[in-house]
Amino acid sequence: MELKTICQSIEILAQEVGQFVRQERLKITNDDIELKGKASLVTYVDKNAEEMIVSALRKLLPEAGFITEEGTASASGEQLKWVIDPLDGTTNFIHGIFPHSVSIALIDGEEPVAGVVYEIGQDELFLAWKGGGAWLNGQAISVSKTEKHEDTLLATGFPYYNFDMLGNYLKLLEFFMIETRGMRRMGSAAVDLTYVACGRFDGFFEHALHAWDVAAGIIILKEAGGKVSDFKGGDDFLFGKEIVASNKNYFPAFFQKVNEFLG
Ligand code: 2AM
Ligand code: CA
């Protein structure tokens, strides 16, 4: 099946699941919130949304395996795998704020080749497939052209379970606070990457993320002309729990600082 055709199917699916999440947001109560770990929240909405996605994708591409946040399906050596975060930004969702998103990617080996991020608050559907460009609600998107720290607005996510790098992380924030237009901490890594892809943000970095937080955003960012690496300049950004992403012009200056403090 062609990647473009796959994308058309997952676009519709992400919007349907987004509609479910939107309806449930007004219904959830404290009793619906479970703790997966300290500060790691989940609700029946995450789980039901994932089940909806998995059952639709099993029919779409029976040969593909699954890597999913809520673990309702698994992989066993398949070349093609779906990497799914049914609700990225669960903490935002629970607290009644945006953004939060549905993120679905298809990876070939370890390379994302198609992805959709549907941001529920602003009804924005980002999608990309390898060689097909990146799109927001049907319009082609591309990264910004900024080069210098002083012209950039950056995004990050605060560490929430692995605090080993906190000291250096705070020093890096201090540098960016002083040298850039500012930092934003949105709470959905998938959305952060798509906002870099469409030029709203100039760069994004975060550590301790999982593959499902970033897989779809990575292909969208790359197809929009962006650049992505791990903190050492390598390619281990999908499963390696470190990601630095920006437009191509700004990447050398941005990466140099992230690498200096966190690499
Ligand atoms: P999640 O909502 O799907 O879990 C933001 O920093 C990123 O980290 C999001 O992509 C979010 O994905 C993930 N994350 C997981 N647990 C988190 C938590 N307790 N606080 C903040 N972000 C969390
Ligand atoms: Ca999630």
Side-chain angles (χ1 to χ4, degrees):
M1 196 186 287
E2 289 215 2
L3 288 174
K4 183 178 179 179
T5 316
I6 288 176
C7 257
Q8 285 163 345
S9 299
I10 56 177
E11 171 178 8
I12 295 165
L13 177 62
Q15 282 166 323
E16 282 170 5
V17 173
Q19 182 59 26
F20 164 72
V21 174
R22 183 181 290 119
Q23 284 164 9
E24 298 306 308
R25 188 172 71 85
L26 304 171
K27 299 184 202 157
I28 56 159
T29 67
N30 271 337
D31 293 341
D32 295 318
I33 303 166
E34 293 168 45
L35 270 181
K36 286 196 284 189
K38 187 174 171 290
S40 184
L41 310 174
V42 68
T43 69
Y44 73 90
V45 181
D46 301 61
K47 292 176 191 170
N48 291 3
E50 185 170 297
E51 280 164 5
M52 288 166 73
I53 296 168
V54 167
S55 75
L57 295 180
R58 272 196 210 290
K59 288 182 205 132
L60 182 69
L61 212 60
E63 69 269 34
F66 290 89
I67 298 173
T68 71
E69 176 158 26
E70 309 310 336
T72 65
S74 61
S76 52
E78 295 91 347
Q79 177 67 18
L80 292 174
K81 292 186 227 20
W82 295 106
V83 183
I84 300 164
D85 192 338
L87 180 46
D88 189 53
T90 299
T91 307
N92 281 355
F93 169 76
I94 286 169
H95 286 261
I97 54 177
F98 295 112
H100 45 261
S101 61
V102 179
S103 176
I104 304 172
L106 183 67
I107 63 171
D108 183 351
E110 294 204 350
E111 184 192 9
V113 291
V116 166
V117 174
Y118 178 58
E119 199 287 297
I120 293 161
Q122 296 201 89
D123 188 24
E124 289 188 322
L125 190 294
F126 296 84
L127 79 93
W129 67 96
K130 192 177 174 183
W135 305 84
L136 162 53
N137 288 350
Q139 304 279 330
I141 53 170
S142 58
V143 291
S144 64
K145 295 188 164 56
T146 49
E147 284 174 44
K148 297 188 202 134
H149 295 305
E150 67 200 57
D151 299 322
T152 64
L153 183 66
L154 303 181
T156 187
F158 299 150
Y160 60 91
Y161 71 92
N162 176 353
F163 301 105
D164 296 349
M165 295 211 266
L166 191 57
N168 284 350
Y169 180 82
L170 292 174
K171 283 187 204 141
L172 181 59
L173 284 192
E174 182 180 339
F175 175 87
F176 286 137
M177 268 178 218
I178 294 168
E179 299 297 331
T180 70
R181 284 188 188 170
M183 305 284 306
R184 297 290 181 271
R185 195 283 189 218
M186 306 290 280
S188 164
V191 170
D192 289 324
L193 285 164
T194 63
Y195 282 14
V196 179
C198 68
R200 293 174 186 167
F201 292 142
D202 303 282
F204 164 69
F205 70 98
E206 185 162 351
H207 77 90
L209 290 172
H210 296 96
W212 48 76
D213 298 315
V214 295
I218 286 169
I219 176 75
I220 294 167
L221 176 88
K222 282 186 170 176
E223 286 294 325
K227 197 164 157 53
V228 55
S229 85
D230 60 35
F231 292 169
K232 291 165 200 73
D235 291 334
D236 197 14
F237 45 79
L238 180 59
F239 293 103
K241 301 195 166 194
E242 1 181 288
I243 188 162
V244 47
S246 74
N247 81 47
K248 281 208 170 100
N249 297 347
Y250 181 48
F251 191 85
F254 184 48
F255 171 75
Q256 195 258 320
K257 276 294 151 194
V258 175
N259 174 262
E260 179 185 333
F261 288 92
L262 303 178

